[in-house]
Amino acid sequence: MDEAVERRRFLGLTAAAAALGLTVTVSGCGSLGGDSGDVTLKLVAAEYDLTGGDSTKKYWTDLAAAFEAKHPGIKIQVQVESWDDVDRKVAEMVEAGQAPDIAQIGAYADYAAAGQLYSADELLSIPVQANFLPRLAAAGEHKQTQYGLPFVASTRPLFYNKALFEKAGVTPPTTWNELAAAAAKLKKEGVRTPFALPLGPEEAQAEAMMWLLAGEGGWTDASDHYAVDSETNVRTFEWLRTNLVGKDLTGPVAPGKFNRKAAFTAFANGEVGMLNGHPSLLKEAAKKGVEVGQVPLPGADGPSKTSMGVADWIMGFKQNGHRKEIGDFLNFAFNDENVLKFAGDNDLLPVTVSASTRMETDPEHANLRVFLKVLPDAQLPPVGKTSWAKVSENVKQNIGKAVTPTGRPAEVLGSIGRVATAAEAAE
């Protein structure tokens, strides 16, 4: 969706909201209150606590209790699962005919394509739906209808270890050549991993996309068709293979076997000079006494013109017929206090205009401002395509081969691209 269309959509919904009044709902949309009878909604959510604690379960339990107090007759049954398991478990529940009423997971498109989800305008009041950041709302659309409701978001700048940079006498890079030069100096100073490049199967599709965007490419072209093996993308991976991996600047573990979690742990332990960072890493690094610097991702000739955004999704399933009750709960969940509570506690970004504005001016969240600044214009992966799950998995398993000493980026990207094009044609 281009900027003009996004703007018209946002202004149209906002104008409608203003005309109706912020507390009024539309017939057919979720109600903001009222007794819906004796209904229990099953909610399955992903675990965000990186410390092994129960902060995610506590958030949902507290939210459910606050909601139930205002909506007698509706109960919320909360089930929290690890990110390793949650998408699979929800898929198994749906396949078994036991879909949850609400799922907060990583993807929505397959369920939307199968007609299993309520659309956003069947669940949300106009003010709530209009309040999503336009890019995120657009990313939640399947065939021009929004089914995925963004829950939290993040963007990815370059993180660097300030102490290691000072010791090596280098400044934050703005171009790829500056990045390679800084990595070489860090290596000379004995830094174990000058630049962490996690292209292992945990989240290689995101790491790769950051580099593709910095090289002015991406997974899709201007017409939203896959363009995995474009000349621009091939050049990006040729640069990575030659100038970082080929010069032994990415550490002792081969990028294709190096996962994001291991890279983040190494950075928090002071063993990494630079990596493409994530908001949640800030807290972990601070606990270990690592002072983190942040700059926009370097590009071929200057700072990247486009940042990558990532969103996790929440959705309502039709199977149990609880449209009104699901709508009541989601309208409640998306008020500013609840959105800010979850995002702030997990060092993530709020997905609504009003909550983002509040976070941006809150001194408590000053460390997140660099992420917030680029979120409205960030580019998300093509999550609205039902083919993306298959393509993403293919990328995770194979993209690391493009940067091995004998790797041929054109061949690896070409193979991934052919699978992507075929999957898209089958949609």
Side-chain angles (χ1 to χ4, degrees), residues 264-285:
F264 282 11
T265 298
F267 185 86
N269 288 336
E271 300 168 358
V272 172
M274 297 174 277
L275 52 62
N276 293 334
H278 183 286
S280 62
L281 179 56
L282 293 174
K283 188 177 293 185
E284 294 307 302

Side-chain angles (χ1 to χ4, degrees), residues 290-343:
V290 172
E291 192 173 358
V292 181
Q294 305 171 47
V295 292
L297 296 181
D301 302 311
S304 176
K305 296 181 177 67
T306 308
S307 297
M308 186 189 75
V310 176
D312 299 327
W313 306 95
I314 193 165
M315 62 211 71
F317 281 87
K318 291 180 175 180
Q319 184 180 104
N320 300 318
H322 295 149
R323 181 191 62 79
K324 180 183 179 301
E325 292 83 2
I326 294 170
D328 287 348
F329 180 76
L330 291 174
N331 280 305
F332 180 81
F334 278 113
N335 72 42
D336 278 358
E337 286 69 27
N338 295 329
V339 171
L340 285 167
K341 170 69 175 169
F342 193 90

Side-chain angles (χ1 to χ4, degrees), residues 16-30:
L20 290 169
L22 289 178
T23 61
V24 178
T25 61
V26 175
S27 176
C29 294

Side-chain angles (χ1 to χ4, degrees), residues 164-300:
L164 295 180
F165 263 52
E166 184 176 350
K167 182 180 178 183
V170 293
T171 56
T174 61
T175 68
W176 285 352
N177 287 340
E178 289 176 4
L179 186 150
K185 290 182 178 179
L186 289 164
K187 181 183 176 184
K188 190 175 180 180
E189 288 294 326
V191 176
R192 189 166 184 260
T193 303
F195 188 94
L197 184 65
L199 292 174
E202 181 189 351
E203 207 197 26
Q205 84 289 355
E207 180 71 22
M209 182 173 172
M210 285 181 265
W211 284 98
L212 297 183
L213 292 175
E216 300 188 12
W219 293 126
T220 56
D221 59 22
S223 60
D224 198 35
H225 293 298
Y226 287 115
V228 177
D229 57 343
S230 69
E231 290 184 12
T232 302
N233 290 348
V234 170
R235 282 198 301 269
T236 294
F237 269 83
E238 286 176 343
W239 188 91
L240 278 172
R241 185 197 60 182
T242 302
N243 295 282
L244 285 187
V245 183
K247 294 183 178 178
D248 196 27
L249 299 177
T250 54
V253 181
K257 297 181 178 179
F258 197 26
N259 281 327
R260 183 188 69 160
K261 185 176 181 180
F264 282 11
T265 298
F267 185 86
N269 288 336
E271 300 168 358
V272 172
M274 297 174 277
L275 52 62
N276 293 334
H278 183 286
S280 62
L281 179 56
L282 293 174
K283 188 177 293 185
E284 294 307 302
K287 288 178 183 176
K288 300 288 185 70
V290 172
E291 192 173 358
V292 181
Q294 305 171 47
V295 292
L297 296 181

Side-chain angles (χ1 to χ4, degrees), residues 241 245 401-409 411-412:
R241 185 197 60 182
V245 183
K401 299 173 184 175
V403 296
T404 62
T406 59
R408 296 178 180 273
E411 291 182 5
V412 174

